[in-house]
């Protein structure tokens, strides 16, 4: 303690952090710091070390924005545009000047005025997302093609457009399938699968859940014990996932860290949302909760996120 005091440091852990009643894990900060606050020490189910909880007061930087100017040239009435060019008498105005530079300026200004009348310049603000190494130009182009195919199918409702959309969608989801398979292999080889989990798990279904519940109830009845069943239903369950809590759980509970955890952080964060009603858009805000709808990784991440519930069943 004298050493910490001499260096103007504060030791926050005042209790054993190991099953052998030793204080092996430390949390040391400068005295009177305002960015780290110690919370608690509690038991950890997969290690002989206890988990240390603390709060870091760090403001997430606001996403940078960029202003774009554009024109909807596809909506121009070509015939009306031609008439406006003729009515502007561009050739007469150009011939009125002797200097080449003046002629060019007159031509540019006149045609710009006509263009502005038929396709007014508009301004919009977009969010500049961080550049992720895994998000390549090829993947960006594939996602654009997927959205284009989806819009075409929703508009036409033709079976051929639906099949095209599904084909393109499966190509885009290939990277998620690789990550999902590697993650499942890791959980299985490390014996980290939740024992009583049936949803989104190979060779399991609602049938295995019902068999387990029925078997436990019958065994309890044979032992003349009372059975109490508690059901919890989450509305829009996948939208309740807290990104930071999920990432913390992947690290502390399942040992997923390093490049793998950074990839998952990049996959989850950076999303933006806005609501469009009658042509009016709401301000863009960042997504702090939920996983991408229809994603391959969504069900697995939700299972890992809710894994502490299984601890109650095992008690």
């Amino acid at each position: 303690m004298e050493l910490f005091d001499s260096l103007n440091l504060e030791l926050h852990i005042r209790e054993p952090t190991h099953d052998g009643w030793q204080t092996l894990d430390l949390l040391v900060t400068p005295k009177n710091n305002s960015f780290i606050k110690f919370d608690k020490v509690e038991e950890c189910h997969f290690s002989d070390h206890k988990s240390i909880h603390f709060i870091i007061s760090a403001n997430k930087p606001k996403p940078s924005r960029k202003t774009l100017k554009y024109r909807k040239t596809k909506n121009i009435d070509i015939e009306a545009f031609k008439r406006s060019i003729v009515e502007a008498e561009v050739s007469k105005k150009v011939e009125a000047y002797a200097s080449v530079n003046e002629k060019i300026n007159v031509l540019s200004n006149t045609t710009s005025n006509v263009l502005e009348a038929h396709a007014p310049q508009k301004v919009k603000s977009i969010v500049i997302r961080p550049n992720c190494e895994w998000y390549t130009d090829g993947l960006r182009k594939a996602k654009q093609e997927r959205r284009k195919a989806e819009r075409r199918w929703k508009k036409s409702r033709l079976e051929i457009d639906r099949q095209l959309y599904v084909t393109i969608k499966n190509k885009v989801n290939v990277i998620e399938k690789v990550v999902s398979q590697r993650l499942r292999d890791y959980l299985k080889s490390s014996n980290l699968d939740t024992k009583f989990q049936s949803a989104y798990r190979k060779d399991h279904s609602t049938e295995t859940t019902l068999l387990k519940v029925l078997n436990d109830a019958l065994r309890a009845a044979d032992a003349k014990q009372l059975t109490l069943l508690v059901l919890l239903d989450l509305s829009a369950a996948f939208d309740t996932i807290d990104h930071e809590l999920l990432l913390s759980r992947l690290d502390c509970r399942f040992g997923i860290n390093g490049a793998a955890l950074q990839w998952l952080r990049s996959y989850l964060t950076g999303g933006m949302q806005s609501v469009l009603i009658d042509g009016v858009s709401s301000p863009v805000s960042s997504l702090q909760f939920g996983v991408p709808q229809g994603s391959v990784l969504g069900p697995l991440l939700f299972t890992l996120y809710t894994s502490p519930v299984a601890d109650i069943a095992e008690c």
Side-chain angles (χ1 to χ4, degrees), residues 144 146-156:
Q144 291 173 350
R146 182 184 67 176
R147 289 290 296 142
K148 185 177 180 180
E150 182 183 11
R151 287 193 293 268
R152 185 187 300 116
W153 169 57
K154 287 185 176 181
K155 184 177 181 179
S156 68

Side-chain angles (χ1 to χ4, degrees), residues 93-104:
K93 293 180 180 178
V94 170
E95 291 174 356
Y97 295 88
S99 170
V100 174
N101 291 335
E102 291 177 333
K103 291 179 181 289
I104 293 175

Side-chain angles (χ1 to χ4, degrees), residues 67-190:
T67 301
L68 296 180
K69 297 180 180 180
Y70 67 100
R71 299 177 188 274
K72 293 185 177 181
T73 55
K74 291 183 179 180
N75 298 333
I76 293 180
D77 184 332
I78 301 300
E79 294 302 322
F81 184 78
K82 290 180 179 179
R83 289 195 298 270
S84 297
I85 290 292
V86 173
E87 294 170 357
E89 298 181 339
V90 178
S91 58
K92 290 184 178 180
K93 293 180 180 178
V94 170
E95 291 174 356
Y97 295 88
S99 170
V100 174
N101 291 335
E102 291 177 333
K103 291 179 181 289
I104 293 175
N105 289 335
V106 171
L107 178 62
S108 177
N109 293 334
T110 305
T111 53
S112 295
N113 292 336
V114 174
L115 180 61
E116 181 67 22
H118 290 268
Q121 186 180 77
K122 297 187 176 182
V123 179
K124 69 177 180 179
S125 178
I126 63 172
V127 176
I128 301 178
R129 299 186 179 183
N131 184 25
C132 306
E133 294 183 2
W134 61 269
Y135 195 68
T136 62
D137 291 338
L139 182 57
R140 182 181 292 103
K141 184 178 180 181
K143 290 188 70 174
Q144 291 173 350
E145 291 177 353
R146 182 184 67 176
R147 289 290 296 142
K148 185 177 180 180
E150 182 183 11
R151 287 193 293 268
R152 185 187 300 116
W153 169 57
K154 287 185 176 181
K155 184 177 181 179
S156 68
R157 289 298 175 180
L158 296 176
E159 179 61 22
I160 188 173
D161 287 337
R162 190 192 71 82
Q163 293 178 358
L164 177 62
Y165 164 60
V166 172
T167 301
I168 296 177
K169 178 183 177 181
N170 290 338
K171 290 181 180 178
V172 176
N173 288 343
V174 66
I175 188 171
E176 287 190 57
K177 291 179 180 178
V178 172
V179 174
S180 177
Q181 187 58 51
R182 290 188 178 183
L183 190 52
R184 292 181 187 276
D185 291 343
Y186 163 74
L187 295 172
K188 185 176 181 180
S189 62
S190 302

